[in-house]
């Protein structure tokens, strides 16, 4: 039934309903809007809406089942991909555009690297899936995604050919859409591993810690309402054997990303560079003698030689720290910490001797921001955002890759918190799952996260050995699989106790054994003091254990 053509009503009529010759205010019961006919008895009241001379009625549906003013956001899953230029950069730009156009990104999967599937003569793709909520109806959502593609300069020359950005709707609630421009669920889901992997990834950690998980797509959920018995996991299992896919974690600059599930990947060596007077192993080494440790500015005069040394001996990353995390260390101000690390980072970034990645070792947001401005590529936080409430939002804003370490308490209190009644490995896994969840909620993408089990932080010597022995379990823990791992065992006290060696700089051989064990267990980065020796250990260890599957 249509509304009288000549009637006019207020502009807010999009929130009202028309029925039986009367415009009625909606009466909401539960989630359904009720329309009551005035000629029929009803236990619920109805209120006639007095027509006013204001503006013409515009495309008023006879009785919309869901008035625009009461419409609830719909959950959808969008696939993203890129194989041209800065693949990570294009995808991040696309996701950053979505909220500007009415698409809220709840979270994103890992990025998965895949060979081209249809048109073979092109570069590898990075693919993933993001969970979104939106008020857009399916066709409007499609139009919006295509607009974002156009804004980012996508031009289509070959069907399924190279593209800087590709955005596709996979699922839209439980709806089935059969339109000449759009099919939902996407008909390509069952045959595309690069879609099924990230879809299945969403609920992996629910098996161990269900309290962390919002309602999401599950491996056991149907991917098409018409066939509820066919699940994501069924589709994955039905795929023919192929080369295993790997996740990709961006590092920055020209450095190749980490491919954490690639069996023959190279272990990266991170060189430790402490511009502090009191670090347990190398405190004061890079401070000039003429300046006091608490001077507001001290030029690290030994740095040029150190930079040249670590570069020649195989370091891919230099980790700069200006606040010691050793028990009993003096807690300096953020201003002092910035004055220590920024000159060092600027010197490294300006050096012709080193073109690699720079990491800032800090748990303070202000220091991280200053370090990134000076040229840092990675933020390495021993507290995983727990010691500064501004850290996770700052990380997300800066858009850099982050290292989230497992720790309890603070550097002052951590060694009094070494009891793990539920078991060491399950507790580390559960705690890191929470840290990853918090990071994602703050806007940090999953492909920007590296994990560290925190050897020496709220851990005993026996705990350190257990971590090295069982690292492969952490890597494969549901919800953590596909994320890279950093191991920092260099010169630590548990090595000294085993060897009976008190001086930290004499624990090189013991460190070498831990590095080999870490690589066997699947570590992607080793953080070390003795770069030359440990780079050699890593190279031989890679030759033993990092072989093509």
């Amino acid at each position: 039934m249509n509304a009288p053509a000549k009637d006019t009503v207020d502009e807010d009529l999009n929130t009202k309903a028309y029925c039986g010759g009367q415009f009625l205010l909606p009466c909401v019961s539960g989630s359904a809007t009720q329309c009551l006919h005035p000629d029929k008895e009803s236990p619920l009241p109805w209120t006639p809406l007095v027509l006013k001379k204001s503006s013409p009625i515009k495309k008023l549906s006879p009785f919309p089942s869901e008035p625009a003013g009461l419409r609830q956001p719909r959950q959808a899953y969008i696939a993203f991909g890129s194989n041209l230029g800065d693949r990570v950069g294009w995808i991040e730009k696309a996701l950053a555009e979505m909220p500007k156009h009415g698409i809220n990104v709840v979270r994103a999967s890992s990025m998965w690297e895949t060979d081209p599937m249809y048109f073979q003569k092109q570069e590898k793709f990075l693919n993933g899936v993001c969970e979104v909520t939106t008020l857009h109806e399916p066709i409007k959502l499609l139009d919006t995604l295509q607009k974002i593609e156009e804004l980012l300069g996508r031009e289509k020359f070959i069907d399924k050919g190279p593209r800087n950005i590709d955005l596709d709707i996979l699922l839209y609630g439980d709806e089935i859409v059969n339109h000449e421009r759009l099919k939902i669920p996407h008909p390509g889901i069952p045959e595309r591993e690069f879609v099924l992997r990230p879809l299945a990834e969403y609920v992996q950690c629910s098996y161990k810690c269900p309290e962390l998980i919002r309602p999401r797509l599950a491996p056991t959920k149907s991917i098409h309402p018409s066939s509820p018995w066919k699940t994501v996991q069924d589709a994955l299992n039905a795929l023919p054997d192929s080369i295993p896919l790997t996740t990709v974690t961006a590092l920055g600059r020209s450095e190749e990303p980490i491919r954490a599930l690639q069996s023959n990947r190279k272990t990266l060596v991170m060189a430790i560079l402490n511009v502090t007077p009191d670090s347990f192993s190398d405190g004061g080494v890079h401070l000039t003698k003429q300046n006091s440790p608490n001077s507001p500015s001290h030029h690290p005069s030994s740095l040029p030689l150190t930079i040249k040394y670590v570069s020649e001996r195989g370091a891919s990353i230099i980790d700069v720290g200006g606040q010691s995390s050793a028990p009993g260390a003096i807690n300096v101000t953020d201003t002092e910490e910035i004055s220590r690390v920024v000159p060092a980072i600027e010197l490294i970034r300006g050096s012709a001797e080193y073109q690699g990645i720079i990491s800032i070792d800090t748990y303070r947001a202000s220091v991280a921001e200053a370090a990134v401005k000076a040229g840092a590529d990675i933020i390495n936080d021993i507290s995983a955002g727990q010691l500064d409430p501004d850290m996770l939002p700052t990380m997300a804003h800066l858009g850099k890759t982050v290292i989230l370490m497992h720790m309890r308490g603070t550097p002052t209190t951590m060694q009094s918190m070494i009891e793990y009644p539920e078991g060491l490995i399950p507790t580390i896994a559960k705690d890191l799952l929470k840290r990853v969840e918090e990071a994602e909620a703050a806007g940090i993408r999953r492909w920007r996260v590296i994990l560290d089990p925190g050897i020496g932080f709220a851990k005993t010597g026996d705990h350190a050995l257990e971590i090295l022995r069982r690292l492969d379990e952490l890597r494969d823990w549901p919800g953590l699989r596909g994320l890279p791992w950093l191991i920092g065992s260099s010169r630590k006290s548990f090595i000294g106790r085993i060897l009976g060696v008190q001086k930290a700089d004499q624990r090189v051989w013991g460190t070498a054994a831990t590095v080999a064990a870490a690589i066997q267990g699947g570590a992607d980065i080793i953080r070390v003091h003795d770069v030359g020796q440990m780079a050699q250990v890593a190279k031989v260890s890679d030759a033993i254990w990092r072989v093509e599957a």
Side-chain angles (χ1 to χ4, degrees):
M1 185 180 297
N2 293 322
K6 294 182 180 180
D7 285 340
T8 58
V9 296
D10 285 337
E11 283 290 339
D12 66 351
L13 247 180
N14 63 338
T15 64
K16 310 299 188 290
Y18 177 82
C19 183
Q22 296 281 346
F23 286 98
L24 306 179
L25 291 172
C27 175
V28 178
S29 174
S31 61
T33 301
Q34 306 294 320
C35 177
L36 305 178
H37 197 288
D39 299 327
K40 296 182 179 180
E41 292 185 6
S42 171
L44 297 177
W46 63 274
T47 305
L49 177 65
V50 178
L51 299 179
K52 299 178 182 179
K53 299 298 180 181
S54 176
S55 59
I57 299 174
K58 298 179 181 178
K59 297 181 180 179
L60 182 66
S61 61
F63 176 51
S65 60
E66 189 177 36
L70 298 179
R71 186 180 301 152
Q72 295 299 311
R74 301 295 183 86
Q75 183 188 58
Y77 289 87
I78 297 171
F80 53 78
S82 174
N83 76 332
L84 288 178
D86 179 6
R87 300 175 298 172
V88 174
W90 285 121
I91 290 170
E92 290 181 334
K93 288 177 182 177
L95 267 62
E97 282 292 326
M98 289 184 187
K100 302 175 187 177
H101 299 272
I103 305 171
N104 175 49
V105 180
V106 178
R107 66 165 294 202
S109 71
S110 300
M111 282 189 192
W112 295 80
E113 189 171 52
T114 61
D115 291 324
M117 187 170 180
Y118 303 103
F119 181 73
Q120 301 295 321
K121 295 182 179 179
Q122 55 181 321
E123 298 299 318
K124 290 187 175 184
F125 278 86
L126 289 184
N127 291 289
V129 172
C130 59
E131 173 191 347
V132 306
T133 56
T134 182
L135 291 173
H136 297 326
E137 294 298 328
I139 296 300
K140 175 63 174 177
L141 179 58
L142 174 64
D143 291 338
T144 303
L145 294 176
Q146 290 180 345
K147 179 180 178 181
I148 292 173
E149 291 177 338
E150 291 174 5
L151 286 172
L152 296 181
R154 175 178 173 179
E155 295 183 20
K156 190 171 183 179
F157 300 104
I158 304 172
D159 185 38
K160 296 183 174 58
R163 66 212 82 167
N164 66 323
I165 190 65
D166 189 26
L167 302 172
D168 288 319
I169 304 171
L170 299 175
L171 300 165
Y172 186 91
D174 290 324
E175 291 191 22
I176 297 175
V177 177
N178 190 13
H179 188 274
E180 60 182 5
R181 293 181 57 208
L182 180 64
K183 301 287 188 288
I184 298 177
H186 194 292
I189 292 176
E191 67 180 17
R192 298 179 180 180
E193 186 178 2
F194 60 81
V195 169
L196 293 169
R197 289 288 174 197
L199 283 177
E201 184 181 354
Y202 277 111
V203 298
Q204 289 298 304
C205 54
S206 66
Y207 299 124
K208 298 293 181 181
C209 50
E211 73 276 7
L212 295 178
I213 303 304
R214 300 183 294 272
R216 297 185 186 134
L217 194 66
T220 55
K221 181 177 178 177
S222 166
I223 57 177
H224 200 292
S226 65
S227 304
W229 58 89
K230 293 182 180 180
T231 67
V232 171
Q233 194 62 54
D234 290 335
L236 268 175
N237 295 340
L239 291 175
D241 291 338
S242 61
I243 298 174
L245 302 188
T246 181
T247 55
V248 167
T249 301
L251 289 176
R253 308 288 165 174
S254 58
E255 187 70 29
E256 280 289 301
I258 297 174
R259 295 173 173 88
L261 298 179
Q262 184 173 292
S263 61
N264 62 345
R265 68 194 183 280
K266 176 186 175 182
T267 304
L268 301 178
V269 177
M270 173 186 278
I272 298 170
L273 182 65
N274 289 318
V275 283
T276 57
D278 52 355
S279 291
F280 84 94
S281 180
D282 57 352
V285 172
H286 301 295
L287 299 179
T288 56
K289 295 180 180 179
Q290 60 266 34
N291 289 321
S292 69
N294 295 319
S295 170
S297 63
H298 34 257
H299 191 285
S301 60
S302 65
L303 270 181
L305 287 177
T306 300
I307 296 167
K308 185 173 185 296
Y309 173 87
V310 300
S311 180
E312 291 176 347
R313 285 161 176 75
S316 299
I317 308 169
I318 297 178
D319 191 41
V320 181
Q323 166 65 63
S324 174
S325 57
I330 298 174
N331 193 29
V332 301
T333 65
D334 56 350
T335 302
E336 170 66 15
E337 188 178 352
I338 290 171
S339 75
R340 292 175 177 181
V341 300
V342 166
I345 292 171
E346 290 175 340
L347 186 60
I348 298 168
R349 184 51 65 211
S351 172
E353 303 286 350
Y354 181 76
Q355 302 299 315
I357 300 297
I358 300 174
S359 170
I360 174 63
D361 179 5
T362 185
Y363 52 79
R364 292 185 171 118
S366 59
V367 178
E369 191 156 15
V372 167
K373 184 177 180 180
D377 306 288
I378 294 175
I379 302 169
N380 181 11
D381 182 359
I382 61 170
S383 78
Q386 302 305 295
L387 296 181
D388 185 342
D390 293 329
M391 181 56 108
L392 292 179
T394 298
M395 287 174 164
H397 168 71
L398 294 172
K400 298 297 183 179
T401 295
V402 304
I403 300 171
L404 306 179
M405 194 189 79
H406 180 267
M407 183 179 73
R408 291 170 157 185
T410 68
T412 303
T413 64
M414 61 185 180
Q415 291 311 110
S416 65
M417 307 174 72
I418 57 175
E419 298 297 326
Y420 294 86
E422 297 181 8
L424 178 67
I425 299 303
T427 302
I428 292 175
K430 184 174 180 178
D431 290 349
L432 285 178
L433 282 166
K434 291 179 181 178
R435 302 291 86 81
V436 172
E437 183 84 1
E438 291 163 356
E440 288 185 283
I444 300 167
R445 301 303 179 200
R446 198 171 179 87
W447 57 82
R448 290 285 182 184
V449 173
I450 298 170
L451 300 178
D452 180 345
I455 289 177
F457 291 81
K459 316 286 193 307
T460 66
D462 286 342
H463 290 152
L465 297 173
E466 184 176 355
I467 289 170
L468 291 169
R469 192 180 303 122
R470 300 177 64 187
L471 179 59
D472 59 331
E473 294 180 42
L474 281 173
R475 287 187 71 249
D476 204 39
W477 199 272
L480 300 180
R481 188 171 189 272
L483 294 174
W485 289 81
L486 178 149
I487 293 294
S489 56
S490 182
R491 298 185 181 182
K492 290 197 170 174
S493 59
F494 77 96
I495 298 173
R497 283 194 291 271
I498 293 171
L499 298 178
V501 176
Q502 291 188 350
K503 291 186 178 180
D505 61 3
Q506 294 180 6
R507 300 170 186 166
V508 179
W509 297 114
T511 296
T514 66
V515 166
I519 293 171
Q520 182 186 25
D524 300 278
I525 304 172
I526 54 167
R527 184 175 181 271
V528 298
H529 298 85
D530 307 289
V531 174
Q533 297 93 322
M534 297 310 118
Q536 290 185 8
V537 172
K539 191 171 184 178
V540 175
S541 298
D542 283 350
I544 297 171
W545 290 296
R546 299 289 165 85
V547 294
E548 191 168 346

